[in-house]
Amino acid sequence: MNNSYKKNNQGGYTLLMMAMSLMVIGVISVGGLQAYNIYSVKQKLALNEKRVADIIQKVQAYRQLYGRLPCPASLDAARNSAAYGQESNCADVATIATGNCVGGICVVAGARPLVSPRVRIGAIPFRVLQADESEVVDAYNNRMLYAVTETLGVAATYSELAGSIDIRNENAASIINPVGSANFVILSAGENKMGAFNQEGIQANPCTAALPGAGLD
């Protein structure tokens, strides 16, 4: 009797310990997954910051060499097309009217219309910057956006003080001084891919705000 009781007791104790061990492993796994997700997010943010910083340096080097900023390339050009990674013509103000998009290039009104009336938006023209295409996509495999004050993309009208791009925070307050005076902007659409074009030139997640300014990043 005693031996039988001892064996059953030992068997029950072993199953209990096993169950507790599995619970501990489960808790550790969840914690490890959360830690990995945080690490992954930080890595992607760091990669984005590095790529943006590297391209800014190339854009500044181009400006010093040619006396103007490079003009944006098409956002939706196929990788096997002649337009892929090639800059557009910022001197051409007739083909794309303000408020319209043509061939993957959009033109909007400048923040300081009396200084520079138009801003041109597209992709980074990596070919004229002598960069590899892998350098101009973000950590989420989307083409980074490049906006430039249009007159600054032409040597004859270039002026360091003629920037017409505004950047605002989540409270709609400008972070540029003077307000609306940025010369160019390079940015990633982020993890939600709103408005972004992937490496193949296909829009991943179109901006579908019902009202102007609603639901935008």
Side-chain angles (χ1 to χ4, degrees):
M1 271 306 270
N2 290 340
N3 288 340
S4 176
Y5 173 78
K6 185 179 290 185
K7 288 180 181 179
N8 289 337
N9 188 45
Q10 287 177 344
Y13 179 76
T14 302
L15 289 174
L16 178 62
M17 288 300 295
M18 185 180 295
M20 291 180 64
S21 298
L22 290 174
M23 288 177 61
V24 171
I25 291 172
V27 171
I28 292 174
S29 297
V30 171
L33 183 60
Q34 291 175 339
Y36 175 78
N37 287 338
I38 293 172
Y39 171 78
S40 179
V41 169
K42 288 183 177 180
Q43 287 293 99
K44 287 179 179 179
L45 290 174
L47 178 60
N48 271 356
E49 290 178 3
K50 182 180 186 308
R51 286 186 175 170
V52 169
D54 289 346
I55 291 300
I56 287 175
Q57 286 187 342
K58 290 180 183 294
V59 168
Q60 296 289 20
Y62 184 95
R63 178 190 60 80
Q64 292 177 355
L65 186 61
Y66 295 101
R68 66 176 179 88
L69 295 173
C71 211
S74 170
L75 271 168
D76 62 7
R79 293 178 70 191
N80 60 353
S81 71
Y84 178 54
Q86 294 285 9
E87 68 172 340
S88 56
N89 182 9
C90 281
D92 178 8
V93 296
T95 301
I96 309 176
T98 303
N100 289 274
C101 300
V102 176
I105 300 289
C106 296
V107 173
V108 298
R112 299 194 299 168
L114 297 181
V115 178
S116 293
R118 297 170 26 126
V119 172
R120 183 171 289 229
I121 306 168
I124 298 168
F126 65 88
R127 296 192 187 278
V128 298
L129 295 177
Q130 298 183 5
D132 187 81
E133 63 176 339
S134 64
E135 298 178 68
V136 296
V137 295
D138 62 19
Y140 311 99
N141 296 317
N142 296 308
R143 297 177 182 181
M144 285 190 284
L145 295 170
Y146 172 54
V148 64
T149 303
E150 203 170 47
T151 55
L152 274 58
V154 181
T157 55
Y158 180 85
S159 171
E160 190 72 24
L161 302 178
S164 193
I165 299 173
D166 197 19
I167 303 175
R168 301 185 180 190
N169 61 21
E170 65 275 14
N171 298 316
S174 178
I175 60 173
I176 301 296
N177 187 22
V179 173
S181 62
N183 293 345
F184 69 95
V185 175
I186 296 172
L187 59 90
S188 161
E191 188 175 10
N192 67 14
K193 302 176 183 288
M194 293 297 289
F197 288 78
N198 64 21
Q199 286 183 290
E200 302 304 321
I202 300 171
Q203 194 171 45
N205 243 343
C207 293
T208 55
L211 299 173
L216 303 179
D217 286 342

